[in-house]
Amino acid sequence: MHAPRAAAAGRTASPTTARLINDRLALQLLQSEGPLTAGQLKSLTGLSRPTVADLVERLQEAGLIAVVGESGAQRRGPNARLYGIVADRAHLVGLDLRTHSITVAVADLLGRVRTEHTVAIGPDGTPDTAVATALAAVDKALATAGAHAPHTIAVGAPGLVDPATGRLAGTDWTSSWHVGLVGALRARTGVVVLLENEVNLAAIAEQRHGAAGDRDTFVLLWLGHGTGAAVVLDGALRRGASGGTGEIGFLPVPGTGALPSASGCDGGFHSLAGSAAICALAAEHGLSPGDATRPADGVNDPSPGNAAGSEGTNEPSSGNAAGADGANEPSSRNAAGADGMHEPTPGAEATDGPPAESLVRAAVAAGDAGAAFLDALAARIALGVAAVSAVLDPGCVVLGGEVGRGGGAELADRVTGHLARLSPLRTDVRAGAVGGRAVLLGAVLAARDAAQNDLFGAAGPEAVPRP
């Protein structure tokens, strides 16, 4: 409920609150615009010159900003000093947990990924062995990035996350080593460890850097080994009373010949649009895994300025290095996005890709020969989208996950056509744009938001996963 206009207009902030708001505003501008002079901060914030001078001094004393260069023709004097955020003030860790792998990214306070690599988790090992392997991967990534300890860790994992406890629930559906790893990280590091459902993190990435950038209300429909959904309403991620918002695999739908149960989603939407179901559908249309090829999982294709190091580790490029004091400097190569986050690296995919992905890609590449299969698949997906639209009316549904990404606009357009015959509600169906690193990028973004809230001061509300 909105406050009456007269009452709202009469409120004033205390000096302490005003300083927090001004500091946060200046830091947000330095993040989005890059290094700025005091004069530019004055122009962009509308604050007085003395107020800007005070906040610059305050932020320097806090170790949050530093002089990173000079600007202007004279390139000297206090008015020419360029101030930037000290990116090395904190290091962040993002984790993407799969059944048989873990991908680790270490980023700076701006969210710029300094190193990233994927490690396989053997299917025959014990949970304790898997946890030890995962912890070693985190340690190696931190060492490679030159970070002594992380400020915040964000973990993306499949399964329900209990809103009351912040712990994985429904462990019958999740890998036991995931639960053990989160517990070990919390016990060992003593830092904030955020745990979030993987699809929810992918939705954060799509909203900040992908297909939902122009939407504050949308649903991400995840199509991978299984199915899932993330719901963002009015800019906020909605998790539900038990953390189960988006468990669309349990949605009863026609065409499965059965109903899901409390202990399994077989018979639900999962049985129509999960990887195994898609592979069976492809076989009915004469397609087999031998007809498709895809790059080896976890292999990073080297690209200028972002070449993969040994053992699949992405080393930071010299074209996007921090300055000597760790403050952010402008770079013309390997540039970060508008808020400092790297765009997806080509080929930097997580392992455990579902077999259905290659089949969908092959069908898209086959043109007319793959049209019947894609149309049948789109009809199945449209059933789930229609149910989501009828309940939430989000106006936009993004097809994410490996299958959604593999189908691209071709699959999304076919889903749109089927949906128009099922629902009177106008829904824009789009292919995900972030790529295979969506969960990892979402984890880094969540960790960055939490760290900045802590270090910058929570002058405004931020939607971040709970600890």
Side-chain angles (χ1 to χ4, degrees):
M1 180 176 179
H2 295 292
R5 182 170 299 178
R11 295 174 183 169
T12 57
S14 68
T16 299
T17 300
R19 284 193 293 271
L20 282 172
I21 293 172
N22 293 340
D23 290 356
R24 185 65 180 254
L25 176 59
L27 288 164
Q28 288 174 338
L29 285 168
L30 289 170
Q31 176 169 276
S32 62
E33 303 296 326
L36 298 169
T37 65
Q40 289 170 327
L41 282 171
K42 174 181 178 296
S43 298
L44 291 170
T45 62
L47 299 173
S48 66
R49 190 178 300 277
T51 299
V52 170
D54 286 344
L55 75 83
V56 166
E57 181 180 0
R58 192 162 55 244
L59 294 175
Q60 283 185 289
E61 290 178 353
L64 292 173
I65 68 172
V67 177
V68 298
E70 293 184 333
S71 175
Q74 299 290 326
R75 296 187 65 83
R76 62 184 181 183
N79 293 334
R81 291 172 185 162
L82 279 170
Y83 297 95
I85 292 175
V86 180
D88 285 340
R89 178 69 168 75
H91 288 92
L92 320 170
V93 173
L95 302 179
D96 178 5
L97 306 187
R98 306 293 177 98
T99 303
H100 300 303
S101 71
I102 176 175
T103 300
V104 185
V106 177
D108 59 27
L109 185 56
L110 289 171
R112 298 182 304 193
V113 174
R114 297 298 183 86
T115 187
E116 170 189 332
H117 67 272
T118 299
V119 174
I121 301 295
D124 299 326
T126 66
D128 288 345
T129 300
V131 169
T133 300
L135 290 174
V138 173
D139 290 341
K140 178 180 178 181
L142 286 168
T144 301
H148 298 294
H151 179 282
T152 304
I153 300 173
V155 182
L160 301 180
V161 179
D162 189 326
T165 65
R167 300 181 184 278
L168 279 170
T171 52
D172 289 344
W173 310 330
T174 61
S175 298
S176 59
W177 71 268
H178 291 177
V179 179
L181 175 62
V182 173
L185 287 170
R186 287 173 171 162
R188 193 181 71 152
T189 63
V191 303
V192 173
V193 178
L194 308 172
L195 176 61
E196 185 58 270
N197 173 268
E198 58 178 350
V199 182
N200 287 344
L201 291 179
I204 292 174
E206 287 289 356
Q207 187 177 39
R208 303 279 187 92
H209 294 283
D214 61 339
R215 297 279 183 164
D216 62 2
T217 294
F218 73 99
V219 170
L220 173 67
L221 180 59
W222 187 265
L223 302 168
H225 281 287
T227 58
V231 176
V232 177
L233 301 178
D234 299 324
L237 192 62
R238 308 295 181 176
R239 301 178 178 89
S242 62
T245 295
E247 289 295 328
I248 197 171
F250 287 88
L251 177 73
V253 290
T256 65
L259 290 173
S261 68
S263 60
C265 53
D266 289 341
F269 182 65
H270 171 83
S271 294
L272 285 183
S275 180
I278 294 174
C279 288
L281 180 65
E284 293 175 11
H285 286 81
L287 297 174
S288 66
D291 299 326
T293 58
R294 67 190 295 269
D297 289 325
V299 176
N300 294 329
D301 297 331
S303 59
N306 202 3
S310 61
E311 300 184 18
T313 301
N314 288 341
E315 303 296 338
S317 70
S318 59
N320 200 9
D325 58 2
N328 60 318
E329 295 182 347
S331 170
S332 60
R333 190 161 65 100
N334 204 9
D339 60 0
M341 187 72 187
H342 277 310
E343 297 302 319
T345 303
E349 309 291 335
T351 62
D352 291 354
E357 177 189 0
S358 58
L359 290 168
V360 171
R361 288 186 182 276
V364 171
D368 291 344
F373 163 64
L374 290 175
D375 199 58
L377 175 59
R380 292 183 174 193
I381 295 171
L383 291 174
V385 176
V388 166
S389 297
V391 175
L392 298 174
D393 189 19
C396 177
V397 172
V398 176
L399 304 183
E402 295 89 350
V403 173
R405 181 174 81 251
E410 177 73 20
L411 181 60
D413 289 346
R414 291 177 183 273
V415 173
T416 299
H418 284 281
L419 181 63
R421 294 187 286 273
L422 293 173
S423 172
L425 304 177
R426 296 182 60 183
T427 304
D428 183 8
V429 181
R430 306 175 178 179
V434 174
R437 295 167 74 236
V439 176
L440 189 68
L441 295 185
V444 170
L445 286 166
R448 188 193 70 180
D449 288 350
Q452 290 185 358
N453 277 343
D454 177 43
L455 296 173
F456 293 179
E462 294 285 345
V464 299
R466 59 215 164 271

